[in-house]
Amino acid sequence: MTDAYPDRLGRLAAALDAPAGSLTVVRAPGRVNLIGEHVDYNAGVVLPMAIDRDTLVAWRVRTDRTSTARSLEVPGLVTYAPDGRTGPIWGAFVEAAVDAAESLGAPRTHLDLAVTSTVPAGGGLSSSAALGVGLVLAHCMAGGVDPDPRALALAAREVEVAATGVPCGTMDQLACALGVADHALRLDCRTLDATAIPLPRDLAVLVVHSGIERTLAGSEYAERRAACEAAAARLGLDALRDARIEQVADDPFARHVVSEIGRVDAFVAALERDDHPALGHILDEGHASLRDDFRVSLPEVDRLVDALRTEGAFGARITGAGFGGCVVALAEPDRVESIA
Ligand code: GLA
């Protein structure tokens, strides 16, 4: 718990007009993806980690058939009742979360919800996955159900698709629901196997916002996903996970996916050896592949990646879906302040 938690919990209680300390609150962290970008929806392997920015969801149970939700950051009140929903757009997450919790075995419950988040929206750090996981978990717990974390993640992924229309993969919600402190998570997005990989103590993970916000609904995310699925179909494969690099040599999008999957286990091996130059090199290769082959970077982000390396990071790359948002870099812990 950081110093900010008592203050955040107090503000949630005030928003619900509840005595401080009387609330149940769930916490859903954001994530940064270390390597394995745009491979989750190709049944590949990814390496995200949960971060210390999070979404907190508090609630009071209601006895009628109406739910309300408010955010401490976004103005407006969501109301959700049998005759429809009103209020800010993120109410679509609340509506979908009610159904998702029911699908996980929770009786339909109506709540007054208050939400606060330190995960920047549009930054590639899974603010929406944290919101979805937090809302589904809140409805499950209010209904007396403690869901299996994988089932929770998959249900929250459905919430995101329903609320935004973006055909996202499963990495973000799985990282949020299964994340382990001080570890990265090697996730096999085909089998949903998760292995916690310890992060060496002499390695700092630095996340820097480019200042360029993006939404996936407004990006080329769905187009890229469709292109990957078409490439797999042309090869007669279920998913690009099953392609060899020679098979995709002439298709830059597919080439990114296949080469990126190879980088994930190379990165895990380098983490286990605590091999800083190798880790940096893999990040640099990953960025070049996202920039040149998958074409999801921007000149401003490329300049930020270069600047981080020049200032002493071992390596850096754009993280998340791309088109703006954050860059992840690795550095020695005592260099972090000066690099930032
Ligand atoms: C977004 C999606 C994820 C994943 C990444 C790219 O964060 O929600 O499912 O596809 O982009 O790796």
Side-chain angles (χ1 to χ4, degrees), residues 231-307:
R234 275 197 301 278
L235 293 169
L237 301 171
D238 282 347
L240 284 178
R241 161 85 176 262
D242 304 316
R244 294 185 312 277
I245 197 79
E246 317 82 76
Q247 291 178 287
V248 295
D250 299 328
D251 178 339
F253 290 166
R255 194 166 63 209
H256 161 73
V257 172
V258 177
S259 68
E260 182 81 351
I261 291 173
R263 278 185 283 276
V264 174
D265 280 329
F267 195 93
V268 170
L271 271 181
E272 283 164 355
R273 298 194 307 272
D274 200 11
D275 182 342
H276 297 174
L279 290 167
H281 182 67
I282 297 167
L283 287 188
D284 292 350
E285 281 187 349
H287 184 74
S289 182
L290 287 166
R291 181 192 61 210
D292 303 334
D293 277 357
F294 214 64
R295 284 187 266 139
V296 293
S297 190
L298 299 172
E300 296 88 335
V301 175
D302 297 340
R303 283 205 292 279
L304 178 56
V305 163
D306 288 345

Side-chain angles (χ1 to χ4, degrees), residues 31 33 36-41 46 124 126 128 160 166-173 214 216 221 320-322:
R31 65 98 188 92
N33 192 17
E37 216 65 87
H38 288 277
V39 303
D40 60 345
Y41 54 79
V46 295
S126 293
S128 57
E160 176 131 8
V166 175
C168 61
T170 52
M171 167 174 71
D172 304 347
Q173 293 81 7
R214 89 289 177 280
L216 293 195
Y221 184 90

